[in-house]
Amino acid sequence: MVTGIFYHPSFSRRSYLTQGSRLQDFPQALEPLLHDERFVLMESPPISEDWILKVHSHELLEGVMRDTLCSTAWHSAGGVVLGAEKIALGEIRNAFAFIGAGGHHSGRDFFGGYCCFNDVVLAITVLRERYGLRRFAILDTDAHHGDGTRDLVRHDPDVLHVCLCYSSYESPDGTKVDVPVPGGLSLWQVFEGTQKDSSAPEADMDHRYYETARKAFYDRCVRFQPDLIFWYFGFDTHRGDYGDIGLTRKAYLLIAHMIKELAEKTCAGRLEVVLGGGSRSDIARHCIPPIIAVLGGVSL
């Protein structure tokens, strides 16, 4: 089976923190993957209002409709949902979903941090109602805490949510976990101009970050036995981006290999990587295509 890549042209014109710049080189930056039969590019459709209201309140929907930063939210969430559906149907093995507006800061009745609809929780809702999948594992390595996702799955024992961020927490049942990362900053600290922790040498950060992610997620996921794994991947943690904790592409590729292996071990390879934060087009161009290549079992 192939790896699905989900994208919409609007993501290149208006995406996340900037109007078009971070994804300005896509989808053409995915060459030569686009000519490899192991990959298929699909256009992200808009999510329907009916599905949105199964997850979010009417007030949130109305707020998103008024927010110009959320103009790509419908296609962003729709691509994530379609990717999950194609995996559930067995039409693709795994997926990478681009987004124009993020998801993990969007809860039942609040949104912000350039996130509008909670794409991953929408996908979980569709998979449960349409395809009978029940248990899901989420690894969130965006620079900031996935507070919206946590709000929506807090009382759901069939969702394992592990977030690498700036706090330390584990729920009594062990399914909701926050793990502090050396050098990590909250979104609010970034906006306030707080400097990242320089105590950890940058040369060591890639492996230290990867080992933190593996220790926090791998064994928990094996015990949990999900039906599908989501990796909420933000490159905002890369050197020079707004959540800089000193990472390079190496850290993301280590996690990509790890999480693909984990999906093969626990849920027949069912894995969706969802793009999160990050603002620089050069970093996007440098990091995203090799991660997609890992999903398809090739190297660039």
Side-chain angles (χ1 to χ4, degrees):
M1 287 190 289
V2 300
T3 291
I5 304 168
F6 295 84
Y7 194 83
H8 189 270
S10 65
F11 302 164
S12 291
R13 298 192 298 267
R14 188 176 185 86
S15 182
Y16 216 69
L17 291 170
T18 56
Q19 294 192 29
S21 65
R22 79 167 188 164
L23 296 180
Q24 64 185 6
D25 300 319
F26 291 86
Q28 61 270 25
L30 297 176
E31 301 288 352
L33 299 179
L34 296 180
H35 296 290
D36 190 314
E37 63 184 9
R38 288 167 288 189
F39 302 88
V40 58
L41 180 66
M42 303 184 196
E43 185 166 306
S44 300
I47 188 72
S48 74
E49 184 175 305
D50 289 342
W51 283 115
I52 293 169
L53 293 176
K54 287 178 181 288
V55 172
H56 298 294
S57 66
H58 283 275
E59 291 75 18
L60 180 139
L61 175 58
E62 292 170 359
V64 169
M65 293 175 71
R66 292 191 299 267
D67 193 327
T68 58
L69 290 175
C70 291
S71 62
T72 61
W74 283 261
H75 287 94
S76 297
V80 175
V81 170
L82 182 60
E85 289 190 279
K86 294 288 186 182
I87 293 170
L89 289 167
E91 296 180 6
I92 60 176
R93 186 167 190 81
N94 52 38
F96 187 99
F98 286 90
I99 54 95
H104 78 157
H105 292 311
S106 180
R108 169 66 185 167
D109 55 11
F110 66 88
F111 70 101
Y114 308 97
C115 295
C116 305
F117 301 134
N118 198 296
D119 40 26
V120 169
V121 177
L122 281 163
I124 288 173
T125 302
V126 172
L127 291 178
R128 284 175 167 170
E129 295 198 14
R130 283 187 170 171
Y131 305 101
L133 278 66
R134 300 303 309 167
R135 291 170 68 79
F136 302 92
I138 305 167
L139 175 63
D140 187 332
T141 63
D142 187 276
H144 311 112
H145 186 261
D147 55 335
T149 303
R150 181 62 55 81
D151 175 66
L152 290 164
V153 305
R154 184 182 308 277
H155 302 297
D156 189 339
D158 288 323
V159 176
L160 172 66
H161 182 225
V162 175
C163 190
L164 273 65
C165 50
Y166 49 87
S167 61
S168 181
Y169 171 78
E170 182 170 352
S171 63
D173 68 356
T175 65
K176 311 297 180 286
V177 180
D178 299 334
V179 179
V181 176
L185 297 178
S186 72
L187 183 61
W188 298 273
Q189 288 174 306
V190 171
F191 288 160
E192 291 169 358
T194 305
Q195 297 298 307
K196 70 184 180 71
D197 179 8
S198 59
S199 62
E202 289 191 335
D204 299 331
M205 276 303 295
D206 287 325
H207 282 283
R208 293 182 64 181
Y209 187 90
Y210 162 69
E211 290 297 339
T212 299
R214 184 180 181 92
K215 183 177 179 180
F217 191 67
Y218 197 97
D219 288 344
R220 284 187 174 95
C221 190
V222 170
R223 293 192 298 269
F224 188 77
Q225 290 294 299
D227 297 319
L228 187 147
I229 298 172
F230 291 96
W231 174 24
Y232 195 87
F233 156 63
F235 60 86
D236 45 0
T237 51
H238 195 282
R239 294 183 193 176
D241 215 309
Y242 61 82
D244 178 356
I245 59 170
L247 299 185
T248 72
R249 182 173 70 180
K250 181 186 295 184
Y252 310 138
L253 291 177
L254 287 168
I255 294 172
H257 283 288
M258 179 269 288
I259 207 160
K260 184 186 178 189
E261 172 193 303
L262 188 53
E264 297 287 348
K265 186 173 184 176
T266 62
C267 53
R270 290 189 291 268
L271 166 67
E272 181 164 16
V273 181
V274 178
L275 184 60
S279 63
R280 286 177 46 178
S281 62
D282 57 330
I283 296 173
R285 187 174 61 249
H286 181 62
C287 293
I288 293 174
I291 289 174
I292 297 174
V294 169
L295 295 179
V298 303
S299 58
L300 289 179

